[in-house]
Amino acid sequence: MDRASGPVFLIVSMCLESRAPPTVRIVHSGHACNIEEEHYTERVYTIREGETLELACLVSGHPRPQIRWTKTAGSASDRFQDSSVFNETLRITRIQRHQGGRYYCKAENGLGSPAIKSIRVDVYYLDDPIVTVHQSIGEAKEQFYYERTVFLRCMANSNPPVRYSWRRGREFLSQGSDKGVEIYEPFFTQGETKILKLKNLRPQDYANYSCIASVRNVCGIPDKNVLFRLSNRTASPSIKLLVEDPMVVNPGQTVTMVCVTSGGEPAPTLTWVRNADDLPRNSVLNGGTLTLPAVSMEEAGLYSCVASNNVGNPAKKSTAIVVRGLKKGRFWITPDPYHNDDNIQIGREVKISCQVEATPPEELLFSWLKNGRPLRSSERMVITHTDPDVQPGTTNLDIIDLKFTDFGTYTCVAALRNGGIPEISIDVNISSTTVPPELTVPRGKSPLVVQEGDTVDLQCLVSGKPKPIILWSRADKETPMPDGSLHTESYDGVLRIVNVSREMTGTYRCATSQYNGFNVKPREALVELTVQYPPAVEPLFTEIRQGLGRAFALNCRVLRAHPSKVLKYEWKLGTRLLTMGQLDQRDETDYHVRALNREGYGEYTCEVTNEAGAGTCRFLVTGRAYAPEFYYDTYSALWQNKPSVYGFKLQWTQQNPLSVDRIVAYRLGIRQMGQSRWWEHEIPMEGTIGKGELISHNLTELIKPEAYLVRLTPITRFGEGDSTDRIITYSGEFHCSFEDEAVCMFSQDKTDDFDWTRHSAATRNTKYTPNTGPSIDRAGSKQGFYMYIETSRPRVTGDVARLLTPMFNVSPKSPYGTVTTAASYCFGFYYHMYGKHIGALNVYLRQKGQSGKDSSVWTLVGNQGDRWKLAKVNIHPTSSFQLVLEGVRGLGIEGDIAIDDVTIEEGECKDPPPNTLSLFVHAYALHTWFWSVLTHLSSQTQI
């Protein structure tokens, strides 16, 4: 077939139901350093920080399972790339240490329980080591000598734990190599640090010291080292601050703080911090000089200069920046406390209080004016001030025995002693009209009924003079206000809520505060707010697929609504009214279709309304068939009897085939990747398709090695249904790892003594034969599957088990379709032959038309160790063929043989294992082994 022609479509066949719950296993394809098994249930994947993590989740099952990756059994976090969370492959580029942990792959397809497997990712790293130096000086008074001891501590963050070594100059130091040197790890930091102790310093101890940190080259991480020069001038840092403490400045002033080193070897590094936090954004740091241009009150605080050179403890000196200012001026009036009446009356006492926050507080000065004239403290006008160290600063004016002449405007003036800051003035009027506040709710303002999304004003009227600040809160004091706070201040008594929502329904409290008013028991009022909203209904949208002539019902349910007592509904098909009514005590309504006709297809709506609006349920009723589901759990493309083409067995099941009219055909479309032309073909269906029924269709004349996009569309008398696509690729290789229960269409020989068994190390019982058989599959997983022969009783020496591959066609060399010369194929597999009683593993080539003439192509005898090994052999069939894998039971029960990852590739083997022996050597070994078996049996017979 040339590239312009289309593929050939063969016969359709149907099989029994082929639905299977999901299975899953995790394999790696990234930059793994090592893969280890741990406790039978968890695999450990080791990777170097900065490399790319790539984990593939291999699933089987039908319908095709949905896959999701999670971390530590929770939801996918921002450590995932969003596109990878729901893919088979999880990929994290430049992985960081915090991204280590346990990753889970979950697969589910609605059959049985979800399949879940996990793998622990261990991220390896090594930071640069740091050396810190400490010294101690001891004095023995009677002998009059000093002992000066120096400790060099080396630390490095790492995973796995770091190993340290010390070098003085070029000399490696070890415990005991020098009496003046001691190397140890503190008990409480074991594995985290290594200390080099230089006892009673000697002249030779003044030298260059290197600390080498190593993780033993795991993951290719090189060793790292740091150099420290110890001399008789080595000393811890000391610094000086060339500034006043505290620094009192005005807002807008430029502040410069200078820090200089006064000692330390090596030269210390200087840094600045504020309140142990970050510096202001606009600050300028130049060496030890920190500049704050146009300083503000928010930038005030404690600033510290820190000097460090890893010798001794860092040096630290601090200064406080105090930015002068006044803020939050408030007042309140306190009536005579000895009378129950809150009114101000002549002959009684009244107190006016004024409060201001000042920085620095000791500079705060208060003065009082009456009608604009200075007022001094007297027997009847008593002026007092709080302690200046108590914030905020407060001044009180007590008027004893209030007289008519005392009525007027009193002004409290707050200032700072050295000026430079604007004063704060607060006016308070005392007169016969100065009365305590009262709160009322205007008529018609409670209860309030509004629609969701509106803007609403809650209002309390304040009477009295002066008018205080109003505090709004919810009646339930623990419920926050719409802005999230517990209280909201209002100067005019109005609380405005924008875009009101249903959660804001409830009772709101307005109350007077003591500020800017009377210091009396708060006055309160309540406002009821009711937020109406349209009905919330379900389902919002549902697609219903039905065949002609069938009966079905539509249901629309009200979840919540306000008001909920009077709800009306209307059912429509398109714009045509079907029925209407009112929901009295019910919260749902149904519409029944007794026999669906063609006019009954379309969009049905159920609109439920109240005063606030409507909620709508929508139902799309259609006769479209559901999409088919391709069956992926099949092995690779089939070779055909032509050299340049291949064939493929397309398999699928139909989703919910009985929900619509009978599927009469499938439209099959196929397009070669990279081209735009489609070939289409209808595949007729006879009878009714059952749920889970596997349908097959053979594609032939596909050009090697091209890939194809296949589209499958079901057809009913309604018309075309939903399509589904898949890509077919040609690899030129047959591969089977026995993960699927169908074992890639391998079969057991009917004439042998026993069968091969599909098993995994996680479920295999080694109680009776612990010293034979694999502990993992070839990929390194305890959950992975392989095929093996169980040699325990009742098996006896010489018993044979044969496993047959599927039948393969040969690619002919002749243009007439006949095989004139032998074709070349590479047959490969992994074998595990461990145990002292291992017999033999043989491979035979069986060709069509040569019954009883199997050709030996590979054989191996005896114990090969507890590991998987690769075998490859060239075969040259001249007709359709299959391979026979024969396991022979040895002299005892410790003789289990296993195989895994079987492959057949076109062409000669490109990289055969270096330890593959010639057939002659294998045959000789097999002959020797059989001779020993016969001798053993003969001796048993004589006994």
Side-chain angles (χ1 to χ4, degrees):
M1 177 184 75
D2 61 300
R3 291 180 181 269
S5 61
V8 175
F9 304 95
L10 297 184
I11 301 173
V12 176
S13 62
M14 295 190 180
C15 304
L16 297 177
E17 182 170 329
S18 182
R19 298 170 69 83
T23 64
V24 62
R25 71 185 189 122
I26 299 174
V27 298
H28 69 89
S29 53
H31 298 85
C33 304
N34 189 28
I35 301 289
E36 295 179 357
E37 299 292 335
E38 190 172 279
H39 307 308
Y40 289 89
T41 59
E42 184 183 50
R43 302 179 69 205
V44 182
Y45 179 106
T46 304
I47 188 171
R48 180 174 175 176
E49 188 174 48
E51 298 286 2
T52 297
L53 171 71
E54 196 165 292
L55 300 175
C57 189
L58 303 183
V59 299
S60 64
H62 189 74
R64 185 71 167 170
Q66 297 293 318
I67 297 171
R68 177 175 173 82
W69 283 95
T70 57
K71 187 171 186 288
T72 57
S75 59
S77 66
D78 57 355
R79 296 170 185 151
F80 290 97
Q81 300 175 9
D82 290 342
S83 60
S84 69
V85 175
F86 293 95
N87 292 340
E88 293 183 4
T89 300
L90 172 67
R91 181 180 175 88
I92 302 177
T93 57
R94 298 189 60 81
I95 191 169
Q96 300 300 306
R97 61 193 66 178
H98 69 269
Q99 293 174 302
R102 186 172 299 160
Y103 288 81
Y104 291 79
C105 175
K106 178 181 180 181
E108 54 186 338
N109 65 353
L111 298 178
S113 300
I116 301 175
K117 285 292 185 290
S118 70
I119 187 169
R120 184 161 62 84
V121 176
D122 204 359
V123 181
Y124 278 5
Y125 59 89
L126 174 61
D127 292 343
D128 292 327
I130 298 174
V131 169
T132 57
V133 181
H134 300 269
Q135 65 178 2
S136 65
I137 299 177
E139 178 181 353
K141 294 183 178 179
E142 294 182 1
Q143 287 82 10
F144 297 100
Y145 77 89
Y146 290 93
E147 180 183 284
R148 185 181 181 192
T149 299
V150 172
F151 301 87
L152 279 72
R153 171 177 292 180
C154 186
M155 298 178 62
N157 296 320
S158 73
N159 183 34
V162 68
R163 289 184 181 177
Y164 300 94
S165 56
W166 285 97
R167 193 169 61 193
R168 180 169 55 197
R170 297 184 177 180
E171 172 195 5
F172 276 98
L173 299 175
S174 60
Q175 185 65 28
S177 62
D178 186 331
K179 292 183 178 180
V181 175
E182 184 179 344
I183 301 174
Y184 66 95
E185 294 177 353
F187 177 76
F188 56 89
T189 61
Q190 221 158 27
E192 299 176 4
T193 183
K194 197 81 166 183
I195 292 180
L196 177 68
K197 180 180 180 181
L198 305 176
K199 299 178 290 185
N200 196 13
L201 275 182
R202 303 160 299 178
Q204 63 265 34
D205 292 330
Y206 295 116
N208 291 334
Y209 290 85
S210 297
C211 172
I212 299 96
S214 173
V215 289
R216 300 160 295 288
N217 203 39
V218 296
C219 287
I221 299 176
D223 297 348
K224 296 187 177 182
N225 66 81
V226 61
L227 177 69
F228 185 86
R229 179 174 180 80
L230 182 66
S231 69
N232 57 3
R233 295 187 300 275
T234 300
S236 57
S238 58
I239 55 175
K240 292 181 180 178
L241 279 184
L242 306 182
V243 294
E244 297 179 357
D245 184 30
M247 296 182 66
V248 181
V249 297
N250 290 332
Q253 183 177 335
T254 296
V255 178
T256 300
M257 293 168 279
V258 179
C259 177
V260 296
T261 58
S262 57
E265 177 69 28
T269 300
L270 299 176
T271 58
W272 281 91
V273 294
R274 179 185 67 155
N275 299 332
D277 204 351
D278 295 335
L279 295 173
R281 290 185 178 181
N282 63 340
S283 61
V284 179
L285 185 61
N286 183 13
T289 301
L290 176 64
T291 302
L292 304 177
V295 69
S296 64
M297 294 186 70
E298 290 74 22
E299 294 172 343
L302 186 68
Y303 287 77
S304 302
C305 176
V306 181
S308 175
N309 65 352
N310 292 338
V311 178
N313 296 319
K316 179 178 179 180
K317 289 197 173 181
S318 305
T319 184
I321 303 296
V322 178
V323 181
R324 303 170 72 241
L326 298 170
K327 61 182 180 179
K328 290 188 178 180
R330 290 179 169 179
F331 75 92
W332 59 91
I333 302 170
T334 305
D336 194 333
Y338 298 103
H339 294 80
N340 294 327
D341 188 356
D342 291 336
N343 291 304
I344 296 176
Q345 296 183 16
I346 291 177
R348 294 184 182 178
E349 178 183 341
V350 63
K351 181 167 68 174
I352 306 172
S353 300
C354 178
Q355 187 180 83
V356 174
E357 292 185 10
T359 305
E362 62 271 14
E363 288 191 21
L364 177 62
L365 297 176
F366 281 115
S367 60
W368 286 90
L369 305 176
K370 179 183 178 183
N371 298 327
R373 296 181 179 181
L375 184 66
R376 298 185 182 278
S377 184
S378 63
E379 291 184 358
R380 280 200 328 105
M381 300 283 186
V382 180
I383 300 175
T384 58
H385 306 297
T386 60
D387 188 335
D389 291 333
V390 178
Q391 280 278 63
T394 305
T395 181
N396 299 305
L397 172 61
D398 276 293
I399 304 175
I400 311 298
D401 189 16
L402 181 67
K403 300 182 182 299
F404 180 80
T405 55
D406 295 330
F407 288 162
T409 300
Y410 293 83
T411 304
C412 164
V413 180
L416 293 182
R417 180 179 296 115
N418 296 321
I421 301 297
E423 298 176 340
I424 290 181
S425 298
I426 302 172
D427 292 333
V428 183
N429 186 265
I430 300 295
S431 67
S432 59
T433 61
T434 303
V435 294
E438 294 295 334
L439 274 183
T440 58
V441 178
R443 180 175 297 179
K445 291 295 185 178
S446 181
L448 283 176
V449 179
V450 296
Q451 305 290 321
E452 191 170 39
D454 290 350
T455 296
V456 60
D457 289 335
L458 277 61
Q459 186 176 4
C460 283
L461 293 179
V462 188
S463 61
K465 187 179 179 181
K467 292 184 178 181
I469 297 173
I470 302 300
L471 296 179
W472 282 94
S473 64
R474 299 291 288 263
D476 179 2
K477 295 182 179 180
E478 295 183 359
T479 303
M481 295 289 286
D483 62 358
S485 64
L486 291 178
H487 297 89
T488 301
E489 288 188 356
S490 171
Y491 288 86
D492 59 0
V494 175
L495 173 66
R496 170 161 291 187
I497 305 176
V498 179
N499 192 21
V500 65
S501 64
R502 63 193 66 180
E503 293 80 12
M504 298 175 189
T505 294
T507 303
Y508 290 78
R509 174 186 285 110
C510 61
T512 59
S513 74
Q514 69 173 21
Y515 299 118
N516 297 1
F518 273 68
N519 183 21
V520 294
K521 182 179 179 181
R523 273 55 169 170
E524 296 182 351
L526 299 177
V527 177
E528 293 285 343
L529 177 63
T530 300
V531 181
Q532 293 184 342
Y533 52 90
V537 297
E538 68 173 7
L540 295 176
F541 178 81
T542 297
E543 185 181 48
I544 298 176
R545 305 199 182 199
Q546 287 289 344
L548 291 172
R550 300 184 186 179
F552 62 92
L554 307 177
N555 174 268
C556 184
R557 180 168 176 263
V558 179
L559 300 177
R560 51 194 169 272
H562 193 87
S564 60
K565 291 184 178 181
V566 181
L567 294 174
K568 298 179 180 180
Y569 66 85
E570 287 185 350
W571 282 96
K572 292 181 180 181
L573 173 55
T575 58
R576 179 163 60 94
L577 180 64
L578 300 174
T579 184
M580 59 187 299
Q582 183 170 311
L583 295 176
D584 297 322
Q585 303 298 324
R586 299 174 299 151
D587 60 359
E588 60 184 356
T589 173
D590 297 321
Y591 182 76
H592 295 271
V593 177
R594 290 183 172 83
L596 181 63
N597 55 31
R598 288 191 175 274
E599 292 72 25
Y601 287 121
E603 185 179 67
Y604 291 75
T605 58
C606 175
E607 188 174 80
V608 183
T609 58
N610 65 0
E611 296 177 18
T616 304
C617 297
R618 299 181 186 274
F619 306 87
L620 179 61
V621 179
T622 175
R624 289 173 60 89
Y626 287 95
E629 292 183 300
F630 283 115
Y631 189 67
Y632 284 81
D633 298 345
T634 56
Y635 56 95
S636 307
L638 298 173
W639 297 310
Q640 299 298 316
N641 291 321
K642 293 184 181 180
S644 60
V645 298
Y646 70 98
F648 190 83
K649 187 176 184 180
L650 197 65
Q651 294 181 297
W652 70 91
T653 58
Q654 177 62 42
Q655 289 189 66
N656 305 318
L658 305 178
S659 63
V660 296
D661 290 330
R662 184 180 73 84
I663 295 172
V664 297
Y666 284 94
R667 176 166 289 113
L668 176 65
I670 185 166
R671 176 174 64 84
Q672 185 175 315
M673 300 299 289
Q675 296 189 7
S676 58
R677 181 180 176 183
W678 284 87
W679 293 279
E680 290 190 344
H681 174 72
E682 277 199 7
I683 308 171
M685 293 285 110
E686 298 295 337
T688 301
I689 300 174
K691 184 176 181 181
E693 186 175 336
L694 188 63
I695 308 168
S696 300
H697 183 81
N698 290 329
L699 301 177
T700 61
E701 302 294 325
L702 303 176
I703 301 171
K704 297 179 183 179
E706 302 296 337
Y708 291 85
L709 176 64
V710 175
R711 177 169 296 159
L712 200 60
T713 308
I715 302 173
T716 65
R717 57 177 173 168
F718 174 84
E720 292 190 353
D722 295 342
S723 300
T724 189
D725 295 350
R726 73 161 295 177
I727 295 176
I728 296 173
T729 57
Y730 177 76
S731 65
E733 174 185 320
F734 168 84
H735 176 264
C736 184
S737 57
F738 305 109
E739 297 304 317
D740 179 28
E741 290 184 6
V743 292
C744 312
M745 297 180 67
F746 275 67
S747 59
Q748 306 282 352
D749 191 355
K750 304 299 184 183
T751 64
D752 55 8
D753 301 310
F754 66 109
D755 288 342
W756 287 77
T757 304
R758 175 177 175 266
H759 233 308
S760 71
T763 58
R764 179 170 174 264
N765 188 353
T766 58
K767 178 179 180 181
Y768 300 106
T769 53
N771 299 316
T772 186
S775 58
I776 53 176
D777 76 343
R778 203 285 302 176
S781 169
K782 289 187 181 295
Q783 287 75 37
F785 286 88
Y786 51 83
M787 300 295 290
Y788 87 112
I789 60 169
E790 174 59 63
T791 58
S792 302
R793 294 179 179 85
R795 303 276 68 84
V796 297
T797 302
D799 277 0
V800 172
R802 298 188 188 94
L803 186 66
L804 311 179
T805 69
M807 185 68 71
F808 296 95
N809 294 327
V810 174
S811 298
K813 306 300 181 181
S814 168
Y816 303 103
T818 59
V819 180
T820 57
T821 59
S824 295
Y825 296 93
C826 179
F827 176 62
F829 62 96
Y830 282 84
Y831 61 88
H832 189 282
M833 301 172 66
Y834 169 57
K836 63 183 179 180
H837 300 141
I838 290 292
L841 178 59
N842 306 313
V843 179
Y844 299 97
L845 175 64
R846 178 177 295 178
Q847 301 189 64
K848 187 177 182 180
Q850 300 180 17
S851 177
K853 296 181 180 180
D854 294 351
S855 303
S856 177
V857 295
W858 187 92
T859 185
L860 191 59
V861 177
N863 186 0
Q864 303 300 315
D866 187 12
R867 59 187 178 273
W868 288 95
K869 293 184 178 181
L870 174 64
K872 284 189 177 183
V873 61
N874 292 313
I875 57 175
H876 304 90
T878 57
S879 63
S880 298
F881 67 94
Q882 63 185 158
L883 280 303
V884 181
L885 293 107
E886 180 185 73
V888 184
R889 202 260 196 186
L891 296 176
I893 63 174
E894 296 182 14
D896 294 352
I897 299 175
I899 60 170
D900 202 356
D901 286 345
V902 178
T903 59
I904 301 177
E905 298 178 78
E906 292 180 295
E908 298 281 337
C909 296
K910 298 177 182 178
D911 51 351
N915 62 342
T916 301
L917 301 178
S918 67
L919 183 60
F920 173 81
V921 176
H922 287 308
Y924 177 79
L926 184 61
H927 176 270
T928 305
W929 176 75
F930 268 120
W931 180 257
S932 66
V933 170
L934 291 175
T935 303
H936 173 78
L937 292 175
S938 147
S939 63
Q940 292 294 322
T941 304
Q942 292 174 2
I943 293 173

